[in-house]
Amino acid sequence: MSEATDPWLIVGLGNPGPDYAANRHNVGFMVADLLAERIGGKFKRAQKAQAQVLEGRIGPPGPLSRRVVLAKPMSYMNLSGGPVTALRDFYKVPTDHVVAVHDELDIDFGMLRLKLGGGDNGHNGLKSMTKAMGPDYHRVRFGIGRPPGRMQVADFVLKDFSSAERKELAYLVDRAADSVESLLAEGLERAQSAYNS
């Protein structure tokens, strides 16, 4: 396991541009934006990668505070691995200190699951990241549920959350951001027992 002083790279997965901003596939960006708000900073264009980044600290002052780089790849979802790997290498972040926050079809809407490693479950952002740097990074999986009826998965993830879902969305994004902070401060097992549902 890496040292407590090593930085963490928190990656919100999504697609750039206003057309995608409220899509289910962009919930990773929503969580990253909220974490940026909590840090009190603004995203800037990365020098070394096709991404927006914000450096700061997460957690209470003292030994539980963690140095972080928040990132939103600007490459489109299915090419996320390139920017994430470039940022990991530039900031010298161990792979087990990389956290991908992403939408997850196989979990009901509003549920969270945190884990380390594993497959990509057909998620193109994870597929690209795993191909670029292996599977041994953390994931914060934000449940969006399966498409209704015969709707294609690609259409479903690129649609905005429904009006019923939007009523709960701010609370759920807030909870996902809390789970990232818990993971960094207290470790995976504690964060899982508090947030996995």
Side-chain angles (χ1 to χ4, degrees), residues 149-162:
R150 294 184 175 178
M151 187 188 287
Q152 294 295 311
V153 164
D155 295 334
F156 179 68
V157 298
L158 293 176
K159 279 201 171 4
D160 292 357
F161 286 97
S162 70

Side-chain angles (χ1 to χ4, degrees), residues 7-9 11 48-49 53 67 69 71 81-98 129 132-134:
W8 286 79
L9 174 60
V11 182
K48 304 289 179 186
V53 294
R67 193 156 65 90
V69 179
V84 174
T85 305
L87 292 170
R88 180 199 66 173
D89 294 347
F90 178 72
Y91 288 103
K92 299 180 172 57
V93 177
T95 301
D96 68 356
H97 272 46
V98 176
M129 283 180 62
M133 63 183 189

Side-chain angles (χ1 to χ4, degrees), residues 4-182:
T5 52
D6 283 332
W8 286 79
L9 174 60
I10 314 298
V11 182
L13 292 180
N15 286 307
D19 291 350
Y20 299 101
N23 289 179
R24 292 182 176 93
H25 224 15
N26 269 42
V27 76
F29 274 18
M30 297 173 197
V31 175
D33 286 338
L34 179 57
L35 287 167
E37 211 177 284
R38 290 181 181 185
I39 289 172
K42 290 206 182 326
F43 281 100
K44 296 186 173 77
R45 198 180 180 133
Q47 298 292 313
K48 304 289 179 186
Q50 195 179 354
Q52 292 185 350
V53 294
L54 168 62
E55 296 177 61
R57 297 193 82 82
I58 279 181
L64 293 181
S65 173
R66 297 286 179 262
R67 193 156 65 90
V68 298
V69 179
L70 283 178
K72 298 192 293 185
M74 293 286 119
S75 58
Y76 290 99
M77 182 70 85
N78 59 348
L79 300 171
S80 301
V84 174
T85 305
L87 292 170
R88 180 199 66 173
D89 294 347
F90 178 72
Y91 288 103
K92 299 180 172 57
V93 177
T95 301
D96 68 356
H97 272 46
V98 176
V99 183
V101 184
H102 64 92
D103 58 303
E104 177 62 65
L105 286 159
D106 284 339
I107 301 173
D108 290 340
F109 173 73
M111 304 279 120
L112 281 178
R113 299 266 166 79
L114 284 75
K115 70 174 191 170
L116 174 62
D120 57 55
N121 218 12
H123 191 288
N124 288 331
L126 298 183
K127 200 176 286 183
S128 178
M129 283 180 62
T130 298
K131 188 175 176 190
M133 63 183 189
D136 300 325
Y137 53 92
H138 287 85
R139 299 103 193 275
V140 173
R141 305 159 74 205
F142 188 110
I144 60 168
R146 302 292 306 180
R150 294 184 175 178
M151 187 188 287
Q152 294 295 311
V153 164
D155 295 334
F156 179 68
V157 298
L158 293 176
K159 279 201 171 4
D160 292 357
F161 286 97
S162 70
S163 54
E165 289 169 339
R166 283 199 296 273
K167 288 177 181 152
E168 295 180 73
L169 192 57
Y171 164 75
L172 297 169
V173 167
D174 193 63
R175 191 164 179 269
D178 289 347
S179 80
V180 172
E181 294 187 354
S182 171

